[in-house]
């Protein structure tokens, strides 16, 4: 057992206790962040005269070498070490002797792991933003192609009014755009460096915390050392944002699943994103959409677990916080995987335009416009509402749409109806006369599409160059 502590203890740690306490099995995911943080720390120690330039240089060279060897597979991370910090320090001591023992000068594992987690989450926030942008580009492509594709809009899963596929997709564009905005918000709040907070009360060494913060791409150092080591708000915020993303993906998946049914037949999912049945040869199942819907609960679970873990922890660091890692790693991998797969599925979906239009027509989605027609000809709205209700009932009995009726049949319900009703309640008229911003009319949609195009061109994630420039 390789540990960074022990002088105060007279007995070996029980093996079961050691394994329960150890985090090397999962925190090795932090290797890159741990080494980058150590390099920034060592560089600052050298510039501050706490280490000699020779010591700092040899430590940085060896840290780079450890990272390269692990990535190349020539150096193995062993579970004999308690955590990734122990592993790195032990290898340095083995290779550099007493100089390796100076790596931890002016630093605690508390601020070290806080830094590693913050750098990891910062990286994942940026990568999640990239995936959201790719999904938005796919949604916008569909919007551009389908400003004339009429379909029913729904409330209560009942056909309500005609819209276009572009308009329907635009609702999801707004959702995922807000998700991107949440990524930016999280980044702006979390991008402060806890390194130099020590165990909880800073250190007596003359550290330059601004130097290490700048070297690691942070806006500056955290301003309270107790908060620096015990803050996990950014993890909770990120898990909350991932949960919201998954909720949006799950809603979208549910619609794809419904649209894919034999009853709707609005879409056909590409073979590469479908599966068959082991017994029913006719089946083509929307498994990706169903799995995205199912995995949403898994990400929710991580958020609830993290909130529960943090709710009773007094200041400052407590071992409970080790529980932030595994569930966060799993939630991040799950959400990113779902974003990538859902985007691939959506980009290859075929939309059945005629089926959508026919569904809108047979669903009496133009009933509101028929009522408006009567109102515009002097009929009080409540009376118009009742008359159109009678008309819909008549159509249901005849199994036809409103605009399939003859003028004589219409006049039997109300003598106000004239030939111009047919134009007023056509699917195209019902959609395209709605021209206010946010409505489904073609002119309104084209204005919105131009706004969304500009947004995708101009909305650049802040500070993503830090990963490229660290310690090159």
């Amino acid at each position: 057992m390789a540990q960074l502590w022990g002088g105060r203890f007279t007995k070996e740690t029980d093996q079961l206790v050691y394994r329960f306490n150890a985090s090397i099995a999962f925190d090795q995911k932090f290797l890159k962040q741990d080494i980058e943080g150590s390099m920034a720390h060592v560089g600052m120690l050298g510039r501050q005269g706490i280490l000699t330039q020779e010591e700092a240089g040899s430590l940085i060279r060896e840290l780079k070498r450890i990272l390269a060897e692990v990535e190349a597979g020539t150096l193995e991370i062993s579970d004999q070490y308690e955590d990734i910090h122990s592993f790195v320090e032990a290898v340095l001591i083995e290779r550099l002797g007493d100089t390796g023992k100076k790596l931890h000068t002016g630093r605690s594992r508390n601020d070290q792991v806080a830094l590693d987690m913050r750098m990891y989450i910062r990286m994942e926030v940026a990568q999640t933003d990239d995936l959201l942008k790719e999904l938005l580009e796919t949604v916008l492509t569909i919007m551009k192609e389908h400003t004339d594709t009429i379909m029913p809009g729904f409330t209560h899963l009942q056909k309500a009014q005609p819209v276009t596929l572009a308009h329907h997709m635009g609702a999801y564009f707004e959702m995922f755009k807000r998700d991107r905005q949440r990524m930016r918000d999280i980044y702006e709040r979390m991008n402060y460096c806890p390194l130099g907070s020590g165990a909880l009360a800073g250190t007596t060494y003359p550290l330059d915390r601004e130097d290490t913060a700048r070297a690691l791409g942070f806006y500056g150092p955290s301003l309270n050392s107790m908060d620096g080591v015990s803050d996990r708000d950014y993890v909770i915020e990120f898990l909350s944002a991932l949960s919201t993303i998954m909720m949006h993906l799950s809603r979208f998946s549910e619609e794809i699943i419904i649209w894919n049914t034999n009853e709707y037949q609005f879409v056909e999912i590409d073979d590469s994103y479908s599966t068959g049945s082991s017994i029913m040869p006719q089946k083509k199942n929307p498994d990706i959409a169903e799995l995205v819907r199912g995995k949403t609960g898994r990400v929710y679970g991580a958020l609830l677990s993290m909130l529960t873990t943090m709710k009773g922890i007094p200041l400052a660091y407590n071992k409970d916080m080790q529980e932030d890692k595994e569930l966060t790693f799993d939630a991040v991998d799950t959400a990113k995987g779902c974003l990538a797969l859902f985007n691939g599925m959506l980009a290859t979906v075929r939309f059945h335009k005629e089926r959508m239009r026919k569904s809108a027509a047979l669903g009496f989605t133009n009933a509101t416009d028929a009522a408006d027609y009567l109102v515009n000809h002097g009929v009080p709205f409540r009376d118009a509402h009742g008359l159109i209700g009678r008309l819909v009932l008549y159509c249901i009995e005849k199994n036809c749409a409103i605009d399939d009726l003859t003028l004589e049949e219409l006049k039997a319900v109300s003598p106000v109806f004239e030939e111009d009703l047919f134009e007023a309640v056509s699917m195209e008229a019902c959609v395209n006369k709605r021209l206010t911003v946010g409505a489904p009319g073609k002119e309104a949609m084209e204005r919105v599409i131009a706004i969304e195009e500009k947004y995708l061109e101009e909305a650049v994630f802040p500070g993503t160059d830090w990963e490229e420039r660290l310690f090159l």
Side-chain angles (χ1 to χ4, degrees):
M1 296 184 297
Q3 301 172 154
L4 298 180
W5 49 273
R8 183 244 185 270
F9 291 78
T10 58
K11 293 174 65 177
E12 284 287 324
T13 305
D14 181 89
Q15 275 293 325
L16 184 60
V17 171
Y18 177 81
R19 287 194 296 272
F20 189 67
N21 189 62
S23 59
I24 189 71
F26 49 85
D27 72 7
Q28 60 184 274
K29 197 178 187 85
F30 283 153
L31 176 68
K32 187 171 184 288
Q33 287 80 20
D34 197 71
I35 285 181
E36 288 175 345
S38 292
M39 289 166 65
H41 180 65
V42 167
M44 178 274 297
L45 293 177
R47 288 186 288 276
Q48 291 297 101
I50 299 168
L51 296 181
T52 68
Q53 288 298 316
E54 183 180 353
E55 289 171 329
S58 61
L59 282 166
I60 289 173
R61 283 191 298 274
E62 204 57 49
L63 285 164
K64 287 183 178 179
R65 184 180 157 201
I66 291 170
L67 178 60
E69 289 178 4
V70 171
E71 290 179 341
T74 56
L75 177 62
E76 183 180 354
I77 299 174
S78 169
D79 61 5
Q80 69 176 295
Y81 300 99
E82 183 181 358
D83 51 38
I84 194 62
H85 325 301
S86 308
F87 165 77
V88 172
E89 189 168 341
V91 174
L92 283 175
I93 292 170
E94 179 184 327
R95 295 180 178 184
L96 298 177
D98 286 346
T99 299
K101 296 177 182 179
K102 297 183 179 184
L103 171 70
H104 213 52
T105 306
R107 187 174 68 171
S108 165
R109 274 195 301 181
N110 293 356
D111 61 342
Q112 187 177 4
V113 72
L115 173 68
D116 290 0
M117 190 65 171
R118 198 169 288 251
M119 290 178 67
Y120 167 80
I121 294 294
R122 183 178 65 174
M123 174 189 71
E124 294 295 352
V125 165
Q127 291 181 5
T128 303
D129 180 80
D130 288 342
L131 289 167
L132 285 167
K133 185 178 181 183
E134 289 173 10
L135 179 54
L136 283 169
E137 288 168 347
T138 297
V139 173
L140 188 61
T141 297
I142 295 171
M143 290 168 67
K144 290 179 184 178
E145 293 172 353
H146 292 282
T147 56
D148 292 315
T149 302
I150 291 173
M151 65 174 290
F154 296 84
T155 62
H156 310 282
L157 269 182
Q158 303 292 307
K159 295 172 188 177
Q161 290 179 284
V163 295
T164 63
L165 181 56
H167 189 242
H168 195 106
M169 288 290 156
Y172 286 105
F173 191 100
E174 295 302 318
M175 294 181 209
F176 295 124
K177 183 165 69 172
R178 290 193 295 272
D179 289 328
R180 281 196 80 196
Q181 291 164 350
R182 276 183 272 273
M183 293 301 111
R184 178 184 287 268
D185 290 345
I186 294 166
Y187 184 95
E188 292 293 337
R189 266 190 297 279
M190 71 172 291
N191 199 34
Y192 291 88
C193 184
L195 191 60
S197 297
L200 79 160
T203 177
T204 58
Y205 291 97
L207 306 183
D208 185 345
R209 294 193 63 209
E210 285 78 9
D211 179 272
T212 48
R214 187 168 50 251
L216 291 167
F218 289 99
Y219 296 148
S222 56
L223 298 182
N224 184 282
S225 56
M226 294 180 78
D227 183 60
V229 297
S230 63
D231 170 32
R232 295 298 184 272
D233 287 4
Y234 60 93
V235 179
I236 292 169
E237 282 194 68
F238 188 40
L239 290 174
S240 177
L242 291 180
S243 295
T244 304
I245 291 169
M246 291 300 298
M247 178 267 289
H248 291 154
L249 287 174
S250 186
R251 293 181 71 183
F252 208 162
S253 293
E254 175 70 5
E255 296 209 298
I256 295 293
I257 291 163
I258 291 170
W259 293 355
N260 185 66
T261 60
N262 293 334
E263 288 72 21
Y264 277 76
Q265 297 179 23
F266 284 5
V267 301
E268 182 174 349
I269 300 173
D270 191 80
D271 287 356
S272 58
Y273 289 91
S274 305
T275 63
S277 166
S278 62
I279 189 171
M280 296 170 284
Q282 83 280 12
K283 295 293 294 296
K284 184 177 180 182
N285 300 324
D287 280 18
I288 295 301
E290 291 174 350
L291 280 169
V292 168
R293 186 177 60 183
K295 288 178 182 294
T296 298
R298 185 168 175 162
V299 178
Y300 287 2
L303 171 61
L304 185 58
S305 294
M306 191 65 199
L307 285 166
T308 306
T309 296
M310 293 299 297
K311 76 175 182 64
I313 298 180
L315 289 173
Y317 181 80
N318 294 266
K319 194 69 172 183
D320 315 45
M321 291 183 185
Q322 183 168 292
E323 289 300 298
D324 66 351
K325 295 171 190 61
E326 285 181 282
L327 55 91
T328 300
F329 296 160
D330 181 77
V332 170
D333 290 345
T334 298
K336 287 170 61 181
C338 287
L339 276 168
L341 284 166
F342 186 90
N343 186 38
M345 178 188 69
L346 184 63
T348 55
V349 160
R350 287 200 306 114
F351 296 96
H352 297 155
K353 299 180 186 181
E354 288 306 314
R355 180 75 182 186
M356 287 179 162
R357 192 189 189 290
K358 184 177 179 182
S359 178
L362 291 177
F364 307 109
T365 57
N366 54 358
T368 301
D369 293 84
D372 289 343
Y373 174 91
L374 291 176
V375 169
N376 291 332
H377 286 74
V379 179
F381 176 76
R382 189 52 55 203
D383 292 341
H385 189 281
L387 289 168
I388 298 304
R390 284 172 50 198
L391 196 62
V392 168
L393 183 60
Y394 177 75
C395 289
I396 291 172
E397 292 171 352
K398 287 198 62 176
N399 191 29
C400 67
I402 290 174
D403 35 353
D404 290 334
L405 299 175
T406 66
L407 184 58
E408 289 72 22
E409 287 174 306
L410 291 165
K411 281 185 172 292
V413 174
S414 172
V416 174
F417 286 123
E418 296 295 344
E419 194 72 38
D420 59 348
L421 170 77
F422 297 105
E423 173 57 29
V425 299
S426 72
M427 292 292 109
E428 288 73 18
C430 291
V431 169
N432 289 324
K433 65 188 172 186
R434 287 172 163 81
L435 296 175
T436 54
V437 174
K442 186 169 183 177
E443 289 182 22
M445 278 308 309
E446 287 174 346
R447 290 199 301 273
V448 167
I449 286 170
I451 291 169
E452 308 297 27
E453 280 186 306
K454 187 176 181 183
Y455 158 75
L456 284 177
E457 290 170 4
E458 295 180 353
V460 178
F461 199 76
T464 50
D465 64 331
W466 50 262
E467 195 168 28
E468 298 174 5
R469 59 184 169 80
L470 290 182
F471 313 114
L472 295 178

